[in-house]
Amino acid sequence: MSKDLLRRLFRSKNALLGLAVILSVSLVAICAPFFSPHDPYEQHLLERLKPPSPEHPLGTDAHGRDLLSRIFFGARISLMVGFISVGIGLGIGVPLGLAAGYGGRWWDDIIMRIIDIMMAFPGVLLALVVVAILGPGLFNVMIAVGVWSVPMFARMVRASVLRLREEDFVQAARAMGCGSFRVALRHLLPNCIAPILVLASLRMATAILSAATLSFLGLGAQPPTPDWGAMLSEGRKYLRTAWWFATFPGLAIMLTVLGFNLLGDGLRDALDPRLRGVL
Amino acid sequence: MLAYIVRRLLYLVFILFAVSVLTFLMVHLVPGDPARVMAGIDASQEDIELMRKKLGLDLPLHVQYLRYIGAVLRGDLGESIRTGRPLAESLLARFPATAELAVISLLIALLIAIPAGVISATKANTVWDYLTMTTAVLGVSMPSFWRGLMLMLLFSLTLRWLPASGRGEPFLSWEWLRHIILPSLTLGLGAAAMLSRLTRSSLLEVLNQNYVTTARSKGLSERRVVMRHALRNALIPVVTMAGMQFGWLLGGTVVIESVFAWPGIGRLLVHSIFARDFPVIRGGVLLMAASFSLINLAVDLLYGLLDPRIRYE
């Protein structure tokens, strides 16, 4: 990333705010054992469903576990799910997009038809289908959310490649004898980095939200894992008697997702304002 | 236009065929023996063989698919392993609940998003703009099920104004309205956040065009310029997005139906995933994907009608 781009990025208040939120959540995730006032797994049945107090700043859950400590440890799971599932989406979607955009008509037709079929499942339904096949569990949720991201990355990279492939520098590379593989990897891919970065940030937000949704439905992380979605799922049972139990994990999800959304929007405006409306 | 419609219909047939193959293969992609998975952990070898025979899993794969698609085309989606009830019957009984939830949510989304987007664009870079757009980005970042729980906490458990779960009968009665407000508001607010951002950016773009300047220079009031000249064009992408959102709302009902115990297809799907009731999962997914594809087709055609500049290659 050039200095100019960094300068533009740092001029965007939203992007800076997003970056600050993400860094804070990451710091909490890394240093969870040092920041947490209690063990997130330790149960104290006499302390169950206690409201926020100096001892337990965000209260306790139905097993008397400290909610703040569990939220701190939950940051690790949410970020891990986000990074791994976006990694799966990137790892499969980007090569597919490159092949569709630069591999010739035949590749384009086949890949885009597969993408269209994947896009025929509305919203979180595709992830739900994958979990239905593989069975519930955090690892399967990461795969499911990753698979759901594949068509987004593939379509976006294909669109960028279609725009780039007629450019002079690509023609020049071909004229100098570069093979298709080399042109795609060395010349086209580096020029798609801006939209990939923007989409990755926005997909991180969606991935964290979707994984929390699946965990909330009971299909993701299983107890006693301190997962935000799973905590909310348990907290809803006590909505009437312990409002804090379902409130704070939700706020943690919202804050983290907000960070990635703000960074994604800021990156888009700084790197390529033409993407506004596309991403 | 006619050629385009025919081409899109043929393409829809292809997508539906592919979705049917995928949903059919779902059972076979399950790790391990699908008959054993569906018969349950306590099943004896005899039960497993019975399940295999009942589902036709002992037949060659292509014969199984032909039997499956033949039955689907006759309107027979098979029966639930758990309840033994014909699937088409229970899905059709639940489809109206899911559809009405998605429709009302979309109406709420549009009712909030368009005025919010217009205020934000016409008062760009003022406190109103920042306030609306901050609310919108918060709305996009908020998990829908959490928004549902918070609305439930406020309006059902604290203020006791609205019921927290279930669907009121009969359709369009006072009880029906009281029950649908919270789930549809939960879904609609999420869609409104996205649509208001789009309305704002689309209107801002249109307001900079020459014909708007002409309208202003004719001496028209700003209100008339925005409402009569700019908004009509600015709403074209919003309408398209709203159509797409409708499909997404259908998907979103899966979680919201579980939060509010709404008796729709989404809740049935989640229950069936736990019960490993694959015929129900297959039928529900097929129905939702087919509805989504039909809506997408309708949105594309509507887009062509709304914007005559669009040429279909």
Side-chain angles (χ1 to χ4, degrees):
Chain A
M1 219 184 292
S2 69
K3 269 186 184 164
D4 179 48
L5 285 177
L6 273 179
R7 196 165 40 82
R8 269 190 281 166
L9 183 63
F10 282 115
R11 218 184 290 154
S12 157
K13 278 184 198 140
N14 280 351
L16 277 184
L17 187 62
L19 201 61
V21 170
I22 295 167
L23 288 178
S24 311
V25 175
S26 307
L27 187 71
V28 165
I30 295 166
C31 302
F34 307 107
F35 288 163
S36 300
H38 298 272
D39 181 338
Y41 293 97
E42 203 179 334
Q43 301 187 7
H44 296 279
L45 291 177
L46 289 175
E47 294 280 304
R48 62 193 300 270
L49 300 177
K50 289 273 186 244
S53 63
E55 173 69 14
H56 300 287
L58 301 184
T60 63
D61 70 3
H63 295 91
R65 294 173 297 206
D66 181 57
L67 216 51
L68 180 67
S69 309
R70 288 183 68 74
I71 287 177
F72 281 172
F73 275 85
R76 292 178 159 195
I77 294 174
S78 273
L79 289 181
M80 181 182 73
V81 170
F83 280 118
I84 292 182
S85 48
V86 169
I88 293 173
L90 271 170
I92 304 174
V94 171
L96 280 180
L98 277 175
Y102 201 66
R105 179 90 193 254
W106 196 77
W107 278 108
D108 191 24
D109 277 348
I110 292 186
I111 293 170
M112 289 322 288
R113 292 307 77 82
I114 295 172
I115 300 297
D116 282 351
I117 295 164
M118 291 173 87
M119 302 280 275
F121 296 91
V124 78
L125 200 66
L126 185 62
L128 214 62
V129 169
V130 178
V131 173
I133 294 170
L134 299 176
L138 190 61
F139 183 68
N140 293 344
V141 161
M142 289 191 248
I143 298 178
V145 177
V147 168
W148 183 27
S149 293
V150 168
M152 323 288 172
F153 281 105
R155 277 167 72 119
M156 193 268 303
V157 171
R158 173 183 177 268
S160 304
V161 169
L162 287 180
R163 192 161 41 88
L164 287 168
R165 71 176 185 186
E166 304 304 329
E167 299 267 338
D168 288 344
F169 71 93
V170 179
Q171 303 293 338
R174 285 209 73 93
M176 284 168 70
C178 283
S180 295
F181 192 71
R182 194 182 161 85
V183 170
L185 224 59
R186 297 291 292 272
H187 298 276
L188 292 171
L189 187 59
N191 283 290
C192 298
I193 293 295
I196 288 176
L197 271 178
V198 176
L199 187 61
S201 180
L202 295 175
R203 284 308 295 177
M204 272 295 287
T206 315
I208 292 172
L209 270 184
S210 325
T213 304
L214 292 172
S215 287
F216 175 77
L217 292 173
L219 299 168
Q222 302 296 319
T225 315
D227 174 88
W228 292 341
M231 284 158 79
L232 262 169
S233 174
E234 218 191 328
R236 70 184 281 203
K237 295 177 204 152
Y238 303 94
L239 203 55
R240 197 181 291 270
T241 48
W243 59 266
W244 55 91
F245 193 0
T247 304
F248 294 121
L251 277 175
I253 300 175
M254 189 172 86
L255 190 71
T256 312
V257 172
L258 181 70
F260 283 104
N261 273 335
L262 287 176
L263 180 69
D265 283 354
L267 270 174
R268 180 195 56 204
D269 293 347
L271 293 174
D272 191 351
R274 281 170 305 173
L275 292 170
R276 199 192 290 248
V278 181
L279 291 173
Chain B
M1 187 75 183
L2 189 69
Y4 173 74
I5 295 174
V6 172
R7 208 164 53 232
R8 282 302 317 260
L9 277 174
L10 285 176
Y11 196 59
L12 179 72
V13 173
F14 160 74
I15 290 286
L16 290 181
F17 164 72
V19 168
S20 76
V21 173
L22 256 186
T23 48
F24 163 74
L25 285 177
M26 239 167 88
V27 178
H28 298 275
L29 291 172
V30 173
D33 177 3
R36 182 179 291 274
V37 171
M38 278 183 273
I41 16 174
D42 308 329
S44 65
Q45 194 56 38
E46 204 170 297
D47 292 337
I48 295 170
E49 288 313 317
L50 261 174
M51 179 64 77
R52 199 187 313 281
K53 218 166 178 55
K54 185 180 166 194
L55 296 172
L57 293 170
D58 50 343
L59 299 168
L61 205 59
H62 67 280
V63 178
Q64 285 184 44
Y65 177 72
L66 288 176
R67 270 176 48 157
Y68 165 67
I69 197 70
V72 168
L73 290 175
R74 285 195 307 274
D76 173 16
L77 292 170
E79 53 189 43
S80 159
I81 295 173
R82 204 160 40 116
T83 61
R85 279 184 62 192
L87 198 54
E89 196 183 288
S90 55
L91 282 178
L92 281 181
R94 283 165 174 267
F95 191 68
T98 298
E100 75 191 26
L101 187 57
V103 170
I104 304 288
S105 306
L106 186 64
L107 284 179
I108 291 179
L110 287 172
L111 278 176
I112 298 172
I114 295 177
V118 170
I119 290 173
S120 207
T122 48
K123 299 188 186 307
N125 300 322
T126 64
V127 178
W128 291 108
D129 183 22
Y130 290 128
L131 205 67
T132 326
M133 287 304 112
T134 307
T135 316
V137 77
L138 282 176
V140 174
S141 307
M142 200 183 276
S144 61
F145 52 92
W146 185 67
R147 183 167 49 242
L149 290 178
M150 291 300 108
L151 288 174
M152 193 191 278
L153 181 64
L154 179 65
F155 292 107
S156 302
L157 304 178
T158 311
L159 298 171
R160 296 179 186 276
W161 287 353
L162 295 164
S165 63
R167 178 179 179 229
E169 299 271 9
F171 182 58
L172 292 183
S173 63
W174 172 242
E175 267 313 293
W176 173 83
L177 184 69
R178 274 168 45 81
H179 279 84
I180 204 168
I181 289 177
L182 282 186
S184 52
L185 197 63
T186 304
L187 267 174
L189 284 175
M194 217 172 284
L195 288 173
S196 61
R197 277 157 54 117
L198 185 66
T199 309
R200 177 186 185 271
S201 59
S202 174
L203 187 57
L204 275 178
E205 206 178 304
V206 171
L207 282 173
N208 281 328
Q209 287 185 7
N210 289 339
Y211 79 95
V212 175
T213 315
T214 311
R216 280 190 182 127
S217 59
K218 277 190 339 193
L220 293 181
S221 70
E222 189 61 22
R223 186 188 169 84
R224 202 174 161 85
V225 169
V226 172
M227 302 309 277
R228 290 291 294 272
H229 294 258
L231 192 59
R232 284 170 70 154
N233 277 332
L235 282 185
I236 292 174
V238 179
V239 169
T240 317
M241 184 56 130
M244 281 161 74
Q245 283 281 317
F246 184 70
W248 290 93
L249 287 171
L250 264 184
T253 54
V254 173
V255 61
I256 296 307
E257 285 181 3
S258 297
V259 173
F260 290 98
W262 189 260
I265 293 177
R267 191 157 159 248
L268 180 70
L269 262 179
V270 175
H271 279 300
S272 308
I273 291 177
F274 283 116
R276 309 296 269 166
D277 194 343
F278 277 94
V280 179
I281 304 174
R282 197 153 69 176
V285 169
L286 189 64
L287 187 63
M288 280 196 146
S291 317
F292 184 49
S293 301
L294 277 171
I295 294 163
N296 279 345
L297 173 69
V299 169
D300 276 1
L301 298 182
L302 186 70
Y303 197 30
L305 284 174
L306 279 176
D307 192 347
R309 288 171 303 179
I310 292 165
R311 290 184 203 286
Y312 300 112
E313 302 280 315

